[in-house]
Amino acid sequence: MNRVARRTTIALILALFLVAGMVLFVGEYMVKSPQWVVFPGNPHVYNGANIGCGTITDRDGILLMEDTGERKYASDPELRAATIHWLGDRKSNLSAPAVTHYAEEMSGFDRINGLYQFSGKGGTTTMTISGKVQKIAQEAMGKHKGTIGVYNYKTGEILCAVTTPNYDPDNVPDIEGDTTGAYEGAYLNRFTQVSYVPGSIFKIITTAAALETQNHPEDLKFKCSGRYKIGSDEVTCTGVHGTIDMETALAKSCNCYFAQLVEEIGGDTLQAYVEKLHVTEPVVFDGITTSAGKFDISNAAEVEVAWSGIGQYTDLVNPCRFMTLMGAIAGGGEAAEPYIVSEVRSGLTAGYRADTSSTGRLLNKETCDTLTEMMRNNVERIYGADNFPGLTVCAKSGTAEVGSGREPNATFAGFVTDEEYPLAFIVMIENGGAGSNTCVPIISKVLAGCKDLMDAE
């Protein structure tokens, strides 16, 4: 009898362990099964390192890619090339973290029915970019290497972000065997993964620091004779501008003026404003962390500090980060953080829907109003307002020296102040020469495309 009782007790204990194990497993399954499903390497969810299920469209529902076992891209070869850095390629030479980040939602996983419970094909990701504007940017960039980005600084939606060189995933060139340099860096998303020497667009930051820290900054006048000596060194300018004020110096991009302005405000103040405006910090969105910038004057000589305030020395900025700063100036001191995925749906359910988040206040509204006036003056006096019909564009160009006998990088950044077109933008062209000459024809076409898009929505 005792033996039966002992066996019964052991059986009950084992049964309790079994029930406890089942409860633990079910609990773990209910909580963690979505993560188990999207583990890297699951062939039902990924093709290599990129998403391998579902459909991806632009903001207007134009098909960019679908994958139901084999990747199928858009029918238009220009659109395929213009979006490849956001979708990834078949061999995972190009990663696509913005869509892979939502693998759980895209897989359509259901705890009862498993994967693809509604359509059998996975979910649908809607991106914020416009296929039409991407194609315009692709054509406008031509054979240039670099990137162009435009976003809505009120909502955060990235309407356009094109990197060149790129390629058609349905007609892949011999990138590895190329000896012409045409495809150099083709696997890099230059909008997110690269930081560039900014050149004179950085003078916007130096101006902002002066406006907020100096008494009567509008009265600050300095003389430009083409060269400005700092100790035994000197800062050179592209012209002889005479005695000029801040607004004129920004319009004419006078290096001598800004060298003296940096001396006036001091390197520590400039460093503080770089940090305040998050200029060197990465932007994080949709599973992407952009490259960081650089501003290091810790061991710099006086002339090197001056060159830093001009956007040279060791200065580096990421295009997406600088575009966001332009949005903050346009927004009176703060703007929406950028994003590129607006929604992911599995069947009838939205598994993810983007929310607008703010940069927080970066500058005083009065500072932004003054910068806006100055940057509008740049367009009216230097770049030509007629290049941007129907849009009130405020901007600053840059010609960034990159050394080694190479042509300078051309940079151009700014925003639109019209209430119905809240757009901020960045153009960075490698070895493109003069900023405005190279960049204005490109951005004018892209902004016109954005305007048409917003008029139609």
Side-chain angles (χ1 to χ4, degrees), residues 93-365:
N93 290 317
L94 281 169
S95 63
V99 289
T100 302
H101 183 65
Y102 299 102
E104 180 181 329
E105 292 83 358
M106 279 285 279
S107 70
F109 175 72
D110 177 81
R111 290 171 175 83
I112 304 301
N113 300 310
L115 293 174
Y116 321 134
Q117 74 274 27
F118 289 106
S119 65
K121 300 178 180 180
T124 298
T125 293
T126 302
M127 303 191 78
T128 62
I129 56 175
S130 161
K132 294 178 181 177
V133 181
Q134 290 285 113
K135 286 177 59 179
I136 292 171
Q138 171 78 6
E139 181 179 357
M141 290 288 282
K143 294 183 179 180
H144 290 302
K145 293 180 181 178
T147 188
I148 180 169
V150 183
Y151 97 121
N152 184 321
Y153 57 79
K154 289 187 177 179
T155 66
E157 299 164 287
I158 297 174
L159 304 184
C160 170
V162 169
T163 283
T164 52
N166 51 39
Y167 57 92
D168 179 355
D170 285 348
N171 187 22
V172 181
D174 182 10
I175 296 174
E176 303 301 328
D178 175 57
T179 58
T180 67
Y183 293 100
E184 183 181 359
Y187 297 144
L188 285 173
N189 184 334
R190 285 164 159 83
F191 183 70
T192 59
Q193 294 177 297
V194 175
S195 291
Y196 288 101
V197 180
S200 290
I201 61 173
F202 194 90
K203 291 171 181 172
I204 298 170
I205 297 166
T206 305
T207 303
L211 289 173
E212 291 199 347
T213 62
Q214 301 301 297
N215 292 323
H216 306 293
E218 67 278 3
D219 296 333
L220 286 173
K221 294 182 180 181
F222 300 112
K223 184 178 179 180
C224 169
S225 58
R227 298 175 181 276
Y228 179 68
K229 290 192 70 66
I230 301 177
S232 60
D233 296 300
E234 64 181 13
V235 169
T236 56
C237 199
T238 56
V240 177
H241 301 120
T243 300
I244 54 176
D245 61 13
M246 189 182 294
E247 183 177 64
T248 303
L250 191 66
K252 295 187 175 182
S253 207
C254 178
N255 290 345
C256 291
Y257 181 96
F258 277 90
Q260 293 170 83
L261 186 61
V262 171
E263 285 186 318
E264 190 76 19
I265 65 177
D268 289 344
T269 297
L270 188 57
Q271 177 77 58
Y273 267 79
V274 168
E275 294 171 4
K276 177 181 179 180
L277 301 180
H278 308 305
V279 177
T280 61
E281 294 180 15
V283 185
V284 180
F285 63 97
D286 296 319
I288 294 170
T289 300
T290 71
S291 63
K294 182 180 180 181
F295 185 85
D296 184 4
I297 56 173
S298 56
N299 296 308
E302 288 184 41
V303 71
E304 292 169 334
V305 174
W307 278 117
S308 282
I310 295 168
Q312 294 287 165
Y313 187 43
T314 62
D315 295 5
L316 294 173
V317 299
N318 170 258
C320 183
R321 167 56 71 190
F322 207 86
M323 179 191 72
T324 306
L325 174 59
M326 294 299 97
I329 295 172
E334 60 182 316
E337 294 279 9
Y339 63 89
I340 201 164
V341 174
S342 60
E343 185 179 76
V344 184
R345 300 188 71 86
S346 296
L348 303 175
T349 305
Y352 167 80
R353 184 174 287 126
D355 292 320
T356 297
S357 60
S358 173
T359 60
R361 179 153 297 280
L362 304 181
L363 289 167
N364 296 330
K365 185 177 185 305

Side-chain angles (χ1 to χ4, degrees), residues 43-47 50-54 65 67-71 116:
H44 300 290
V45 179
Y46 299 99
N47 276 335
N50 292 320
I51 195 73
C53 61
M65 190 197 78
D67 197 322
T68 56
E70 182 178 353
R71 280 194 163 214
Y116 321 134

Side-chain angles (χ1 to χ4, degrees), residues 2-68:
N2 289 337
R3 183 179 298 175
V4 172
R6 284 197 300 272
R7 289 176 177 176
T8 301
T9 301
I10 292 171
L12 285 173
I13 291 172
L14 291 174
L16 287 173
F17 273 116
L18 178 62
V19 171
M22 290 180 64
V23 170
L24 180 63
F25 172 77
V26 170
E28 287 276 299
Y29 175 82
M30 295 303 292
V31 173
K32 296 182 179 180
S33 55
Q35 288 76 34
W36 296 343
V37 166
V38 297
F39 75 92
N42 184 343
H44 300 290
V45 179
Y46 299 99
N47 276 335
N50 292 320
I51 195 73
C53 61
T55 301
I56 301 170
T57 74
D58 82 339
R59 63 188 298 111
D60 296 318
I62 296 174
L63 178 69
L64 301 180
M65 190 197 78
E66 65 178 349
D67 197 322
T68 56

